[in-house]
Amino acid sequence: MSGRRVLVTGATGYIGGRLAPRLLDAGHSVRVLARDPGRLRDVSWSDAVEIVQGDLEVPGDVRRAVEGMEVVYHLVHAMAAGGDFSAAELAQARNVGAAARAAGVRRIVYLSGLHPEGERLSKHLASRVAVGEALLACGVPTLVLEAGIVIGSGSASFEMIRHLTEVLPYMPAPRWVRNLVQPIAVRDVLHYLVAAATVPDEVHGAFDIGGPDVLRYGQTMNGYAVEAGLPQRPIAPLPVLTPWLASQWVNLVTPVPRAIAMPLIGSLLHDCVVAEHRIDAIIAPPEEGLTGYRRAVQLAIARERAGDIESSWRSASAAGAPSDPLPSDPGWSGSTVYEDARERETAASPEAVWRVVEAIGGERGWYSVPLLWSIRGIADRLVGGVGLRRGRRDPRRLRVGDTVDWWRVERVERGRMLRLRAEMKVPGRAWIEFAVEPAIDASNGSRYRQRAIFLPSGLAGRLYWWSLVPAHHVIFEMMASRIVAVAEEEPA
């Protein structure tokens, strides 16, 4: 079947930002509606889609976006705005439904949430159900896919699991941590969404989708702990912790905003598991099978494990895997990353600065407070680390894989960038990166940039970083100044 003309609303969101490029790969022509098209500026696929600026609450904007489309994906949720988000979501859905019917759209696709039948639902789930019902009633063939917790870096539900598990060695939690959930990997959600564009026109209704594992919510936290290399967390159910109090707690100990945490926590008051498998007759599961929870977590944290942490000074290319973070993801998504960044303008040439950078460590030292470096090296040796004794292979040149004291060369772009990965004993993973480039006017001098990066492991990692902030300020400030000063002293 030839590609269809597709509109994606919510392309700056978590699911929409991953769906748009996959629809392009499937041969469809894609248009996206965004209130702020600037948020799509840095994604790799923005030049391949038609971007329409508009607001779903303005009927004229919606009609303009829907005109000429065959399929409309409605992937916008308003809970991040707080307040009466359910009224806003319902108004948006009615605008989409009316515009789609008037434009002769062949299919609407909506991603809703798994929910039990016959129970009083949380505000969040009730809003999802109401939106789905409004779209199903609009007169256009509609496919509502009802999914549980979506597992992928950047998903609000997954980020809440990630940060709660990493920050808290002991988890006081409400009774509903024992409720059942059926997580689904983001790659599997996208599989169903892409296939939904070409299902037969007579398909109309709501269908459950979910991964192969049914878990208690507490088990999702400890499953994450295992994959992240953390001890499993004791969880103590507390009968007095209401959803409101729990959302305040989540807001306090994680970067997930309270406006998002509260509706998500409200949804956990119910068992949310797949009740029927009718979707299998419409869309077959992925050929390799649905992704288990632990495997989905592995994929979500694989980017950080590989050290690909957006740590180059140049803009990274957009992520290719659906579990990877995107430029349009919210700032609180992804693993916690601490950094200390310094920058200097200097009259020294880029070549002179690079010679100093490439000779760092070993006999040359680290250009800052030798006593502190020695103490840190001794401490590392005492706990079984490598300390400062390894030195370096060549006093002037480095190549990938070389050791430099307790660091290992991870990347070299000769004359431009050097990245070292720490092999000392720390509760997390650490890098230090040096970059050299011509001055802005490119006529004289250069710009030196330096960044230390730390990915903490659990609460111990966070405490480690914050305890060293004063020392880091002295060490890294002096390092940047001394490297530039040494380069300026070099003869031309």
Side-chain angles (χ1 to χ4, degrees), residues 412-426:
V412 179
E413 294 181 22
R414 186 148 282 105
R416 300 173 62 190
M417 193 272 282
L418 170 67
R419 185 167 69 206
L420 307 176
R421 183 183 71 249
E423 294 186 340
M424 68 186 97
K425 296 286 187 179
V426 292

Side-chain angles (χ1 to χ4, degrees), residues 198-428:
T198 52
V199 298
D201 290 350
E202 62 269 18
V203 173
H204 183 77
F207 300 82
D208 292 356
I209 59 173
D213 300 321
V214 176
L215 306 167
R216 298 193 186 281
Y217 189 78
Q219 291 177 303
T220 67
M221 296 177 62
N222 277 324
Y224 176 87
V226 170
E227 297 304 327
L230 301 170
Q232 295 201 38
R233 287 3 190 175
I235 298 176
L238 301 177
V240 297
L241 203 56
T242 66
W244 185 87
L245 285 173
S247 68
Q248 308 305 312
W249 176 240
V250 170
N251 183 64
L252 177 66
V253 300
T254 83
V256 179
R258 182 170 51 245
I260 292 177
M262 190 164 183
L264 290 179
I265 289 171
S267 302
L268 298 175
L269 298 174
H270 317 280
D271 288 341
C272 292
V273 298
V274 171
E276 44 81 15
H277 296 274
R278 294 179 300 119
I279 192 63
D280 293 344
I282 308 299
I283 301 173
E287 290 184 7
E288 64 276 15
L290 293 167
T291 309
Y293 174 71
R294 293 272 292 274
R295 175 59 178 157
V297 171
Q298 290 173 10
L299 293 168
I301 63 179
R303 185 183 180 94
E304 291 89 354
R305 280 188 169 179
D308 188 2
I309 52 170
E310 307 280 349
S311 56
S312 172
W313 291 107
R314 286 164 298 284
S315 298
S317 58
S323 299
D324 287 346
L326 292 178
S328 55
D329 285 348
W332 45 262
S333 66
S335 62
T336 299
V337 180
Y338 295 126
E339 68 173 51
D340 180 289
R342 311 280 166 171
E343 183 174 324
R344 296 286 188 277
E345 296 282 344
T346 174
S349 68
E351 294 78 13
V353 178
W354 175 255
R355 284 194 294 271
V356 178
V357 166
E358 196 174 10
I360 200 166
E363 294 299 322
R364 288 281 190 101
W366 294 87
Y367 301 103
S368 62
V369 199
L371 178 61
L372 290 180
W373 284 93
S374 297
I375 292 172
R376 184 63 182 89
I378 293 170
D380 192 52
R381 294 286 292 179
L382 290 175
V383 297
V386 297
L388 286 173
R389 293 185 180 179
R390 295 191 303 185
R392 46 182 292 159
R393 175 189 60 84
D394 185 302
R396 294 183 180 85
R397 291 178 68 82
L398 292 173
R399 61 189 182 193
V400 172
D402 279 356
T403 58
V404 183
D405 298 328
W406 61 50
W407 306 87
R408 188 170 297 274
V409 178
E410 187 173 86
R411 184 175 174 185
V412 179
E413 294 181 22
R414 186 148 282 105
R416 300 173 62 190
M417 193 272 282
L418 170 67
R419 185 167 69 206
L420 307 176
R421 183 183 71 249
E423 294 186 340
M424 68 186 97
K425 296 286 187 179
V426 292

Side-chain angles (χ1 to χ4, degrees), residues 344-349 352-353 356 445-446 481-492:
R344 296 286 188 277
E345 296 282 344
T346 174
S349 68
V353 178
V356 178
S446 57
S481 298
R482 285 291 300 145
I483 285 175
V484 168
V486 171
E488 290 174 348
E489 292 169 2
E490 281 199 358

